[in-house]
Amino acid sequence: MPRLIDFHIHIDNYKNYNEMYSYFTQNKIYALFVTNLPEIYDKCKKEFPESKYVRIALGYNPQMVKTHRFNKTLFERWLPHTKYIGEVGLDYSKEYFDYKTEQQRVFRYICKRAGEHNKILSVHSRMAEKDVLNILKESNVRFAVFHWYSGPLSLLDEIIRSGYYFSVNYSMLTTEKGLKIIQQIPLERLLIETDGPFGKCSKKSMASYDLRFIYDEFAKLLGIKDIKDIVFNNLKTLLNNQKSYER
């Protein structure tokens, strides 16, 4: 039976993060723990034991540019030890727009290194979708997943033609634009995330984690009974394609 997948979750932002880690392992749920800084990745690697079901992504969230310099040395130290890079990207919303140049500098560097080693990226692209796409392509990044895409519908086809995926969440199902974006994504490019604890994970509250509920809502609103099989097979395809390029 296909396992559930949460392709983007910030485990370190949960107070009970050790319980969350155990939950994924015990319930055989595949989860990608994204990190906002190389320092957080370093801490997570020391905190959590190896698991078949949990993978940790090496990241630098563009929103951190206001308060934290990119630790290039630590990033390079851990780069050979993971196939996942995230959360990384650009954010041109009002609060971060003045840091646009520095964001681009760091993201270009990360994409260059990810492209050289065929890493899988989980990408933040708020109000910067076109620039994110251009940098990914310029850097020869083959494997990228647009996390919680909220950009123009007109750009979706170019992202899809570039071979990239999308991780979508329950919060997107609750808005008209989010639902339109989800409906325009080919099923074979769809992954499911929670972005917990920032994305809504249940009807009850932001803090309640209920991945099965989210899958059921996707199945109901999209009219797809085998959504678990589709998402599982999509991740399997992504990993197989990435493995063929590993060196």
Side-chain angles (χ1 to χ4, degrees):
M1 178 182 293
R3 304 295 184 187
L4 297 181
I5 293 161
D6 185 345
F7 199 75
H8 189 108
I9 179 171
H10 295 264
I11 190 67
D12 59 293
N13 284 95
Y14 286 89
K15 291 181 180 179
N16 61 333
Y17 58 85
N18 281 315
E19 291 178 26
M20 290 291 293
Y21 175 88
S22 298
Y23 171 83
F24 290 113
T25 302
Q26 291 167 5
N27 289 278
K28 299 180 179 180
I29 293 172
Y30 294 101
L32 181 65
F33 293 176
V34 294
T35 56
N36 285 338
L37 293 167
E39 290 87 344
I40 296 174
Y41 179 90
D42 181 72
K43 182 179 179 181
C44 286
K45 289 294 288 185
K46 294 171 181 175
E47 180 82 22
F48 301 119
E50 289 295 321
S51 167
K52 174 183 177 181
Y53 299 100
V54 173
R55 293 292 183 266
I56 303 171
L58 174 62
Y60 180 78
N61 191 315
Q63 295 178 346
M64 303 303 290
V65 69
K66 290 178 65 174
T67 55
H68 293 76
R69 290 181 61 84
F70 174 58
N71 191 329
K72 183 176 176 181
T73 301
L74 196 56
F75 179 88
E76 286 294 336
R77 184 187 307 165
W78 281 114
L79 184 63
H81 300 280
T82 181
K83 68 172 62 181
Y84 299 101
I85 305 295
E87 178 172 355
V88 295
L90 302 174
D91 191 317
Y92 291 174
S93 56
K94 185 177 180 180
E95 186 177 355
Y96 307 104
F97 188 80
D98 288 346
Y99 302 88
K100 174 181 175 180
T101 301
E102 177 63 9
Q103 288 185 53
Q104 290 177 350
R105 184 190 70 80
V106 174
F107 187 53
R108 278 198 168 89
Y109 177 81
I110 290 172
C111 286
K112 176 180 179 293
R113 299 295 287 135
E116 289 169 351
H117 295 279
N118 295 297
K119 306 296 185 180
I120 299 171
L121 275 66
S122 182
V123 183
H124 179 114
S125 61
R126 185 184 299 159
M127 302 182 75
E129 295 82 11
K130 185 62 176 177
D131 280 359
V132 165
L133 178 60
N134 286 341
I135 292 172
L136 289 172
K137 292 165 69 175
E138 290 166 5
S139 306
N140 196 31
V141 172
R142 293 182 174 89
F143 309 106
V145 181
F146 278 71
H147 139 71
W148 199 336
Y149 181 85
S150 59
L153 292 168
S154 58
L155 193 60
L156 286 173
D157 286 345
E158 186 177 350
I159 295 172
I160 292 160
R161 286 196 303 272
S162 301
Y164 302 137
Y165 287 68
F166 298 83
S167 56
V168 297
N169 56 48
Y170 177 66
S171 295
M172 294 174 69
L173 283 178
T174 63
T175 68
E176 182 179 354
K177 183 179 179 181
L179 188 56
K180 284 182 178 178
I181 288 170
I182 292 168
Q183 290 171 332
Q184 194 168 319
I185 298 170
L187 289 178
E188 66 271 16
R189 297 295 178 81
L190 202 65
L191 296 170
I192 286 180
E193 61 164 66
T194 61
D195 198 24
F198 306 108
K200 194 169 177 62
C201 297
S202 77
K203 283 185 177 178
K204 297 175 184 177
S205 70
M206 296 288 282
S208 298
Y209 187 89
D210 191 345
L211 190 58
R212 287 179 176 82
F213 163 78
I214 294 171
Y215 270 79
D216 289 344
E217 288 296 293
F218 269 91
K220 181 171 66 178
L221 290 173
L222 298 180
I224 304 167
K225 291 183 179 180
D226 58 345
I227 187 71
K228 295 176 186 177
D229 304 75
I230 290 169
V231 173
F232 184 85
N233 287 331
N234 288 348
L235 179 58
K236 188 176 180 180
T237 299
L238 175 61
L239 293 174
N240 285 339
N241 288 341
Q242 188 270 346
K243 189 174 183 180
S244 69
Y245 281 94
E246 281 186 337
R247 63 177 185 271

